[in-house]
């Protein structure tokens, strides 16, 4: 009787090797699209501005924060809309800077590898603007920090999860959801945390990720819809805040 070239368990081993090779190829393609560049650039910028504030006065001093571009509702109402961007690069105290820089390097590194350099840049800035706008709408407190943009990066990973569900669950899904939930809960119980900025950044990042899309993702009408929704979120928050 002739024997087939592959009999169990050889056939099973070959099948397993094929599956593992396919998974490895999928991981390389997904998480190797871009190499972190803006993540490092933004981290250096955050540190440089923090050092500048410490030299000019103190990063915990309100006047110094306002001078460097923190979110201050009265100034925004007077036309200083650029604070919606500059506030995301300033930090109040060394612990605030360290926590956000570590989060940026870890979460941002994953996002920039998945989305690529320029999509990451767009998502980060768009999420930061949305976070600052939400803070402007719901709290008069002076605020600054990359937290809104970082929550936006988590929103981008959630968007990735809606498009590549099995890979998301297999690689990062549970850890990301736990980390996100933990930080949202901390934002609700700690009085110094701007949870409105966090929520605005999270939603803004999700919408911005949908607008730029994953590499190779066309879906032009859906992306335009996400971009429109992001615009409505920011404009609505600014109008709610009095602009």
């Amino acid at each position: 009787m002739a024997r087939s070239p592959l009999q169990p368990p050889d056939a099973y081993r070959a099948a397993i090797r094929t599956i593992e090779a396919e998974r490895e190829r999928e991981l390389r393609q997904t998480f190797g699209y871009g190499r972190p560049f803006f993540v490092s650039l933004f981290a250096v910028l955050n540190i440089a501005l923090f050092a500048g504030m410490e030299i000019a006065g103190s990063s915990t001093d309100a006047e110094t924060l306002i001078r460097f571009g923190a979110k201050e509702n009265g100034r925004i109402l007077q036309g200083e809309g650029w604070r919606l961007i500059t506030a995301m690069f300033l930090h109040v105290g060394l612990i605030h800077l360290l926590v956000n820089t570590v989060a940026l390097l870890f979460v941002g590194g994953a996002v920039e590898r998945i989305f690529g350099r320029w999509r990451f840049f767009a998502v980060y800035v768009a999420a930061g603007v949305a976070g600052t706008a939400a803070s402007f709408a719901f709290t008069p407190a002076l605020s600054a920090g990359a937290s809104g943009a970082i929550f936006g990066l988590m929103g981008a990973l959630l968007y990735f999860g809606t498009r590549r569900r099995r890979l998301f669950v297999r690689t990062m899904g549970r850890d990301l959801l736990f980390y996100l939930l933990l930080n949202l809960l901390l934002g609700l119980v700690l009085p110094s945390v701007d949870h409105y900025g966090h929520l605005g950044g999270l939603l803004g990042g999700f919408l911005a990720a949908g607008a730029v899309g994953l590499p190779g993702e066309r879906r032009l009408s859906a992306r335009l819809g996400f971009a429109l929704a992001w615009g409505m979120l920011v404009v609505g928050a600014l109008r709610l805040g009095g602009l």
Side-chain angles (χ1 to χ4, degrees), residues 7 75 77 119 128 132 134 143 155 164 182 190 200 204 223 230 235:
Q7 291 282 354
R75 302 293 183 100
L77 288 170
R119 289 182 182 87
T132 309
S143 68
R164 304 289 296 276
L182 176 63
L190 296 178
R223 289 169 59 187
W230 178 88
V235 172

Side-chain angles (χ1 to χ4, degrees), residues 46 84-93 95-104 107 123-132 135 143-155 179-180 183-184 186-187 192-205:
N46 291 344
L84 296 172
I85 296 176
T86 56
M88 75 179 77
F89 297 106
L90 305 178
H91 292 85
V92 185
I95 298 300
H96 189 207
L97 172 69
L98 291 176
V99 169
N100 277 351
T101 299
V102 171
L104 171 60
V107 180
V123 169
Y124 189 85
V125 175
V129 168
T132 309
S135 176
S143 68
S147 302
I150 292 169
F151 268 82
L153 297 180
M154 289 189 274
Y179 181 74
L180 177 59
N183 278 272
L184 288 174
L186 288 175
S192 62
V193 175
D194 187 353
H195 57 273
Y196 294 110
H198 291 179
L199 291 172
L202 178 67
L203 181 55

Side-chain angles (χ1 to χ4, degrees), residues 167-184:
L167 184 58
F168 175 75
V169 171
R170 181 158 55 91
T171 55
M172 68 178 71
R174 292 180 181 177
D175 291 339
L176 176 67
L177 292 175
F178 173 78
Y179 181 74
L180 177 59
L181 180 60
L182 176 63
N183 278 272
L184 288 174

Side-chain angles (χ1 to χ4, degrees), residues 44-137:
V44 170
L45 180 59
N46 291 344
I47 294 169
L49 287 171
F50 179 82
M53 285 194 295
E54 289 295 324
I55 293 171
S58 172
S59 64
T60 59
D61 176 64
E63 288 302 320
T64 303
L65 284 163
I66 291 172
R67 195 160 14 120
F68 274 74
K71 188 224 79 174
E72 203 280 319
N73 287 13
R75 302 293 183 100
I76 294 176
L77 288 170
Q78 292 172 12
E80 298 182 4
W82 45 268
R83 292 179 181 274
L84 296 172
I85 296 176
T86 56
M88 75 179 77
F89 297 106
L90 305 178
H91 292 85
V92 185
L94 182 60
I95 298 300
H96 189 207
L97 172 69
L98 291 176
V99 169
N100 277 351
T101 299
V102 171
L104 171 60
L105 293 174
F106 279 94
V107 180
V111 174
E112 193 163 1
R113 286 186 178 93
I114 293 170
F115 283 83
R117 183 173 296 178
W118 291 105
R119 289 182 182 87
F120 170 85
F121 177 87
V123 169
Y124 189 85
V125 175
V129 168
T132 309
S135 176
F136 170 76

Side-chain angles (χ1 to χ4, degrees), residues 1-5 7:
M1 179 181 292
R3 187 176 184 270
S4 63
Q7 291 282 354

